[in-house]
């Protein structure tokens, strides 16, 4: 089945004219990223050249995708927009609310029993508003999107930071908060600061134990978790063309870990093969007709230094398998150096679990290559030293892999086949013994490895690597094992050297599936009733956030001064809290409970300035709200990195926090704060972070004159009677300031509708 073919053809029909207009406006050859961006301008043909990193631009994305944990809040907001149907093709994917524990069948049924209310809500609201619904067990959102919806040259947004996975099929696919999705589903323009461009030239060809995963692990090591912020990463060169389509998807997927707006590749033969294999020959025909516009201009790739803001070159022939971590996805270690690194840093080297899957590495090719390693070990009589777990990316991948014997290869080694869902990657893993919080090491093919993320244990050292390396390290049970040079001992005491992984890029017998789990929406959903029980603990209808009163915020208290890394996991944890993603008040009880308090190095323990006592962050903020006291949050660099979850912005807004002031923001979180009517501000002088004391009170001096490109002044009143006055920068444009004044972007939409 080909979804939305007419829409794709309409997009392609506009390409030649829009690219010609863009070249004329810009006055030079175009990168692929620029072509897609200029081809999706809200106002049609380009009439001006936009300034990278500065110009705010309105775009018209082709589609929207939402996973179940974020879709709840996005659709609760959409209900308030007063629309009868979504304006662009949209889908919801039930993949986050399924815990990995026993195995696929039991875990899926447990999830259906526990989350029935939420799944019914998502099913009915999708049916009402013309949204496609992928049922629990159908697969992980980004793998399903790649298999069914992604198309070269398209633009999509999704309420998950790893929406960028669709760049593997040549899209500009961008992770956003739910309020952004509401804009697009409501038929409005979507605003984005025109990205900078980072070019990655790939030469050579992967060989041996290296895989596409190692490309992004290397890039993450080079750029760090914030090096791609505000930029699109565009891959090109002979090495890029040599990669498989799903390999490209893996690279783009983990681009979220460097803060990139998105990543993408030009249309090539690997994409043709993948589209055809997934039943989309008609898309291939349409894309081939405008193929010249679906990759960067020849002049760009011949002289990349002239066209990209930053250029990285990687020779795939020389690339070594990498193992990134622990606790951060950008700490890269080549496998040959792991023994020395582990020793120097006292990392536990015994590998207790190997996990393969997630949206990053759960394709047929990924499973096939990892299975080739497992098959060798079984045949040689090698007993694995660690436990194994797998999450296939979709029911289509699972069914096909099962048919072809790949899953049975894993099962012969005692592997647990979990549901086609996110599972351990997002903390949905009921790992036995995790509550003991023992120091241990796991290896996985996921994209993130922040503290506590996989199993809730802060002492679990999680390392990110390729599926084939996960298999090798788990079989060896040793983080320092190098399959390129080292040998394993089998049951007979024989030394066995593993051969390099092999695996089909695409199934030779073609993909197959009996039930892909898709629910098409009703043609007319006007009579569909969406019910939310008033006493539900899982779902809660939303009230409008209050409008700004036009006055300076005064006598605000410090809720918390966050020390060091503060991801959206720290601000709004996942795991057991996922069940409250549709109930704003209940989930607000996890607000900032993972953030480290600068003044005592503790989590979830801050001083209540009204009583002088220390208490939990949410409880302290609720006390301020009841007392009518404003508050602020202060943070460090790259505040809000990680997931796109807008709950991390909605919770402080709901509980009465007025402003978040940090050294720097991650892109999606900054936008989410703006959308919810919050003040997202940065220190003009980063050293002013050090001036913030635990008992301070804050006054905004000139908020009444809040305007674009004009800093704000904050008065800090210390408990000893002294005062400091500091400057705060912001990136609000005129439209975004109107969001603040109206109380939120959604409030403004409703005002416009009325």
């Amino acid at each position: 089945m080909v979804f939305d073919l007419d829409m794709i053809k309409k997009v392609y029909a506009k390409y030649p004219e829009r690219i010609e207009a863009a070249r004329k406006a810009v006055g030079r050859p175009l990168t692929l990223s620029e072509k897609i961006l200029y081809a999706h301008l809200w106002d049609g043909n380009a009439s001006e050249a936009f300034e990278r990193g500065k110009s705010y631009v309105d775009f018209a994305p082709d589609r929207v995708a939402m996973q179940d944990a974020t879709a709840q809040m996005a659709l609760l907001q959409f209900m308030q927009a007063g629309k009868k149907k979504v304006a662009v093709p949209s889908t919801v994917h039930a993949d986050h609310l399924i815990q990995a524990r026993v195995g696929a069948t039991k875990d899926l049924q447990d999830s259906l029993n526990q989350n029935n209310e939420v799944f019914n809500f998502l099913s009915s609201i999708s049916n009402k508003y013309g949204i496609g619904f992928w049922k629990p067990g159908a697969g992980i959102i980004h793998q399903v999107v790649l298999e069914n919806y992604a198309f070269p040259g398209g633009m999509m947004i999704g309420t998950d930071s790893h929406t960028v996975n669709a760049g593997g099929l040549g899209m500009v696919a961008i992770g956003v908060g739910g309020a952004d999705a509401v804009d697009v589903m409501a038929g409005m323009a979507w605003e984005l600061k025109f990205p900078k461009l980072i070019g990655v030239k790939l030469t050579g060809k992967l060989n041996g134990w290296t895989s596409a995963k190692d490309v992004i692990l290397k890039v993450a090591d080079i750029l760090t978790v914030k090096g791609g912020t505000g930029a699109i990463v565009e891959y090109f060169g002979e090495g890029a063309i040599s990669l498989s389509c799903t390999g490209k998807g893996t690279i783009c997927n983990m681009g979220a870990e460097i803060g990139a707006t998105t990543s993408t590749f030009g249309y090539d033969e690997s994409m043709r093969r993948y589209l055809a294999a997934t039943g989309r020959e008609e898309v291939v025909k349409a894309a081939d007709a405008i193929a010249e516009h679906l990759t960067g201009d020849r002049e760009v790739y011949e002289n990349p230094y002239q066209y990209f803001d930053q250029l990285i070159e990687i020779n795939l022939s020389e690339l070594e398998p990498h193992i990134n971590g622990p606790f951060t996805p950008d700490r890269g270690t080549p496998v040959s150096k792991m023994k020395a690194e582990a020793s120097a840093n006292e990392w536990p080297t015994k590998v207790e679990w190997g996990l393969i899957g997630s949206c990053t590495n759960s394709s047929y090719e990924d499973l096939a290559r990892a299975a080739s390693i497992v098959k060798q070990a079984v045949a040689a009589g090698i007993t694995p030293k660690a436990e194994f777990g797998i999450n296939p990316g979709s029911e289509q991948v699972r069914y096909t892999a099962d048919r072809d014997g790949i899953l049975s290869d894993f099962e012969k080694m005692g592997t647990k086949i979990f549901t086609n869902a996110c599972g351990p990657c997002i903390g949905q893993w009921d790992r036995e013994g995790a509550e003991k919080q023992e120091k241990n090491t796991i290896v996985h093919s996921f994209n993130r490895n922040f503290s506590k993320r996989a199993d809730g244990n802060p002492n679990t050292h999680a390392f990110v690597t390729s599926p084939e390396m996960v298999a090798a390290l788990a079989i060896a049970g040793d983080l320092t094992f190098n399959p390129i040079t080292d040998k394993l001992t089998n049951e007979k005491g024989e030394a066995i050297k593993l051969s390099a992984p092999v695996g089909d890029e695409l199934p030779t017998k073609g993909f197959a599936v009996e039930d892909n789990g898709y629910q098409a929406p009703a043609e007319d959903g006007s009579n569909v009733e969406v019910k939310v029980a008033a006493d539900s603990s899982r779902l809660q209808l939303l009230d409008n956030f209050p409008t700004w009163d036009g006055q300076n915020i005064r006598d605000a208290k410090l809720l918390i001064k966050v020390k060091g890394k503060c991801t959206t996991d720290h601000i709004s944890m996942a795991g057991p809290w996922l069940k409250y993603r549709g109930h704003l008040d209940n989930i607000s009880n996890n607000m900032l409970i993972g953030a480290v308090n600068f003044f005592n190095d503790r989590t979830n323990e801050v001083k209540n300035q009204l009583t002088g006592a220390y208490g939990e962050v949410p409880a302290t903020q609720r006390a301020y709200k009841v007392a009518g006291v404003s508050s602020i949050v202060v943070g460090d660099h790259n505040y809000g990195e990680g997931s796109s979850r807008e709950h991390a912005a909605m919770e402080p807004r709901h509980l009465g926090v007025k402003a978040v002031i940090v050294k720097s923001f991650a892109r999606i979180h900054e936008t989410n704060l703006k959308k919810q009517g919050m003040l997202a501000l940065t220190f003009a002088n980063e050293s002013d972070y050090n001036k913030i004391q635990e008992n301070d009170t804050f006054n905004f001096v000139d908020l009444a004159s809040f305007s674009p490109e004009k800093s704000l002044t904050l008065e800090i009143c210390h408990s000893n009677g002294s005062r400091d006055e500091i400057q705060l920068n912001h990136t609000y444009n005129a439209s975004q300031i109107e969001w603040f004044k109206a109380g939120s972007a959604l409030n403004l939409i409703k005002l416009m509708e009325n």
Side-chain angles (χ1 to χ4, degrees):
M1 178 180 179
V2 181
F3 291 93
D4 310 311
L5 182 59
D6 288 342
M7 177 270 285
I8 295 171
K9 288 181 176 179
K10 287 179 182 178
V11 171
Y12 286 170
K14 298 175 183 176
Y15 249 84
E17 180 183 344
R18 292 201 170 187
I19 298 303
E20 183 181 356
R23 279 206 193 94
K24 184 177 180 181
V26 175
R28 56 167 174 74
L30 299 173
T31 65
L32 168 64
S33 304
E34 289 172 315
K35 288 182 179 181
I36 299 175
L37 292 171
Y38 278 106
H40 286 83
L41 296 178
W42 178 260
D43 292 328
N45 290 348
S47 58
E48 63 175 306
F50 298 108
E51 190 172 356
R52 298 176 190 171
K54 291 190 176 181
S55 299
Y56 280 96
V57 183
D58 285 340
F59 292 100
D62 302 314
R63 67 176 313 109
V64 173
M66 298 163 279
Q67 39 95 335
D68 51 354
T70 54
Q72 295 170 65
M73 197 59 68
L75 293 176
L76 285 165
Q77 292 178 84
F78 184 75
M79 288 175 70
Q80 294 186 296
K83 301 292 184 178
K84 293 183 179 180
K85 192 172 183 179
V86 292
V88 302
S90 303
T91 52
V92 168
H93 304 256
D95 64 354
H96 274 55
L97 298 177
I98 304 169
Q99 190 174 55
R101 187 171 64 89
V102 177
T105 303
K106 180 68 165 60
D107 293 346
L108 178 57
Q109 187 57 54
D110 286 347
S111 176
L112 292 171
N113 295 340
Q114 296 164 9
N115 302 299
N116 191 53
E117 178 186 11
V118 172
F119 292 145
N120 285 341
F121 166 75
L122 293 173
S123 174
S124 63
I125 198 169
S126 296
N127 205 24
K128 182 175 183 64
Y129 292 113
I131 299 168
F133 180 60
W134 291 81
K135 303 171 190 176
I140 304 171
I141 176 173
H142 311 303
Q143 179 67 27
V144 173
V145 166
L146 198 70
E147 290 178 10
N148 296 278
Y149 299 114
F151 65 98
M155 172 185 270
M156 69 174 287
I157 62 170
T159 59
D160 189 286
S161 56
H162 294 106
T163 299
V164 295
N165 188 82
L169 255 176
M171 293 194 87
V172 161
I174 300 174
V176 299
D180 279 351
V182 171
D183 283 354
V184 177
M185 290 190 294
M188 300 178 64
W190 175 64
E191 183 185 72
L192 176 73
K193 185 182 287 185
F194 204 86
K196 293 184 177 181
L197 299 179
I198 298 174
V200 179
K201 182 178 181 180
L202 301 180
T203 59
K205 191 173 183 179
L206 294 172
N207 61 85
W209 281 86
T210 53
S211 74
K213 184 64 165 244
D214 296 304
V215 176
I216 187 57
L217 294 177
K218 179 66 175 177
V219 170
D221 187 49
I222 294 169
L223 289 177
T224 77
V225 292
K226 60 182 180 179
T229 302
I232 293 178
V233 182
E234 184 171 324
Y235 292 84
F236 64 95
E238 60 177 344
I241 294 172
S242 72
L243 298 171
S244 69
C245 181
T246 52
K248 291 176 169 72
T250 291
I251 293 169
C252 292
N253 181 299
M254 206 174 154
E257 274 54 72
I258 58 172
T261 301
T262 193
S263 305
T264 195
F265 286 79
Y267 180 52
D268 62 16
E269 191 58 39
S270 72
M271 296 183 191
R272 291 184 180 93
R273 291 194 299 270
Y274 187 76
L275 287 166
T278 51
R280 291 176 283 175
E281 293 88 349
E282 289 297 317
V283 177
V284 174
K285 291 179 183 177
D288 282 348
I290 61 159
E292 65 182 293
H293 301 308
L294 301 179
T295 189
D297 286 336
R298 177 180 51 79
E299 297 91 337
V300 170
Y301 296 153
E302 288 178 349
N303 298 287
Y305 284 99
Q306 297 180 23
Y307 299 95
F308 292 99
D309 299 293
Q310 183 178 352
L311 186 67
I312 296 169
E313 294 192 41
I314 298 175
N315 186 337
L316 301 185
S317 301
E318 299 174 356
L319 187 63
E320 187 177 347
H322 274 59
I323 306 169
N324 284 28
F327 307 125
T328 186
D330 61 346
R331 181 171 185 168
T333 303
V335 64
S336 63
K337 297 181 180 179
M338 179 52 77
K339 186 171 291 186
E341 282 292 302
S343 175
N345 291 283
E346 298 183 345
W347 295 333
T349 57
K350 179 185 176 183
V351 175
E352 298 194 2
W353 267 91
L355 296 158
I356 295 170
S358 91
C359 60
T360 329
N361 281 108
S362 55
S363 69
Y364 183 90
E365 180 184 27
D366 290 324
L367 297 185
R369 285 174 62 84
S372 74
I373 304 304
V374 170
K375 194 172 182 179
Q376 289 182 60
V378 171
I382 298 171
T383 302
K385 302 298 190 299
E387 294 189 73
F388 260 119
I390 293 177
N391 287 85
S394 69
E395 176 57 14
Q396 179 168 264
V397 165
R398 187 211 65 79
Y399 187 94
T400 307
D402 189 33
R403 179 201 66 189
D404 294 348
I406 291 173
L407 296 189
S408 66
D409 287 336
F410 282 109
E411 289 170 333
K412 289 172 185 174
M413 191 166 267
T415 304
K416 285 187 177 181
I417 310 298
F418 295 126
T419 316
N420 314 319
C422 301
C425 180
I426 59 164
Q428 282 285 58
W429 183 23
D430 186 6
R431 182 186 179 189
E432 186 178 350
E435 72 283 353
K436 298 176 184 177
Q437 298 197 355
E438 295 174 340
K439 189 175 181 180
N440 75 101
T441 283
I442 65 173
V443 292
H444 60 58
S445 68
F446 308 156
N447 36 46
R448 291 189 180 138
N449 57 343
F450 303 139
S451 175
K452 301 183 183 181
R453 182 171 175 92
D455 62 3
N457 178 1
N459 298 313
T460 291
H461 292 55
F463 292 85
V464 181
T465 189
S466 67
E468 42 268 68
M469 282 296 297
V470 168
L473 295 175
I475 290 167
D478 184 356
L479 183 66
T480 68
F481 175 69
N482 183 349
I484 300 172
T485 58
D486 300 345
K487 294 182 179 180
L488 298 171
T489 303
N490 69 3
E491 297 164 350
K492 299 177 181 178
E494 299 168 331
I496 305 294
K497 190 169 186 296
L498 296 172
S499 299
V502 293
D504 291 330
E505 173 187 319
L506 297 164
T508 55
K509 298 178 184 177
F511 282 108
V513 67
E514 288 184 347
D515 179 5
N516 64 5
Y518 175 69
Q519 172 191 292
E523 285 293 327
D524 180 3
S526 58
N527 294 322
V528 177
E529 186 177 1
V530 180
K531 294 182 179 179
V532 175
D535 61 350
S536 172
S537 65
R538 301 290 302 271
L539 298 165
Q540 180 187 46
L541 296 176
L542 297 174
D543 294 323
N544 293 347
F545 286 135
T547 59
W548 178 50
D549 62 7
Q551 304 299 311
N552 282 315
I553 298 168
R554 300 190 62 81
D555 300 318
K557 303 298 183 184
L558 176 69
L559 174 61
I560 185 172
K561 179 178 177 179
V562 178
K563 179 180 179 180
K565 184 185 285 285
C566 189
T567 71
T568 48
D569 278 348
H570 294 88
I571 305 168
S572 177
M573 285 186 177
W577 290 94
L578 282 172
K579 62 185 177 183
Y580 298 123
R581 284 284 182 87
H583 197 295
L584 182 55
D585 193 57
N586 282 348
I587 199 169
S588 292
N589 288 323
N590 77 0
M591 184 189 73
L592 286 159
I593 63 175
V596 176
N597 183 355
F598 178 90
F599 298 106
N600 59 11
D601 281 328
R602 295 177 179 270
T603 58
N604 204 23
E605 186 176 306
V606 294
K607 187 173 184 179
N608 182 330
Q609 293 195 44
L610 303 180
T611 65
Y614 284 84
E616 297 177 345
V617 181
T620 302
Q621 181 55 39
R622 287 185 186 277
Y624 290 156
K625 183 177 182 179
V626 169
V629 173
S630 300
S631 65
I632 70 166
V633 169
V634 172
D636 213 315
H637 276 299
N638 208 28
Y639 183 88
E641 70 173 279
S643 168
S644 69
R645 69 193 65 156
E646 64 182 338
H647 298 77
M650 295 185 78
E651 291 173 31
R653 178 70 167 115
H654 171 66
L655 293 183
V657 175
K658 300 296 185 183
V660 178
I661 305 169
V662 300
K663 293 179 181 177
S664 64
F665 283 106
R667 175 191 63 84
I668 299 176
H669 187 62
E670 181 182 22
T671 300
N672 285 345
L673 289 168
K674 291 178 178 181
K675 285 276 185 177
Q676 301 304 333
M678 297 271 291
L679 287 172
L681 308 169
T682 56
F683 293 103
N685 185 343
E686 287 185 5
S687 63
D688 287 341
Y689 170 89
N690 300 320
K691 294 179 180 178
I692 308 299
Q693 299 175 21
E694 190 171 31
N695 297 311
D696 287 345
T697 299
F698 305 89
N699 297 316
F700 283 85
V701 174
D702 49 7
L703 189 57
S705 60
F706 190 18
S707 59
E709 299 183 5
K710 181 177 181 293
S711 63
L712 292 171
T713 304
L714 182 71
E715 182 184 51
I716 309 171
C717 304
H718 304 298
S719 58
N720 64 4
S722 64
R723 297 172 183 252
D724 280 306
E725 199 170 87
I726 65 172
Q727 296 301 117
L728 302 174
N729 293 335
H730 66 84
T731 60
Y732 288 77
N733 60 25
S735 298
Q736 294 169 346
I737 290 174
E738 292 304 311
W739 299 343
F740 170 74
K741 291 179 178 178
S744 72
L746 183 58
N747 285 359
L748 197 59
I749 290 176
K750 292 163 72 174
L751 286 172
M752 292 167 62
E753 286 295 312
N754 296 328

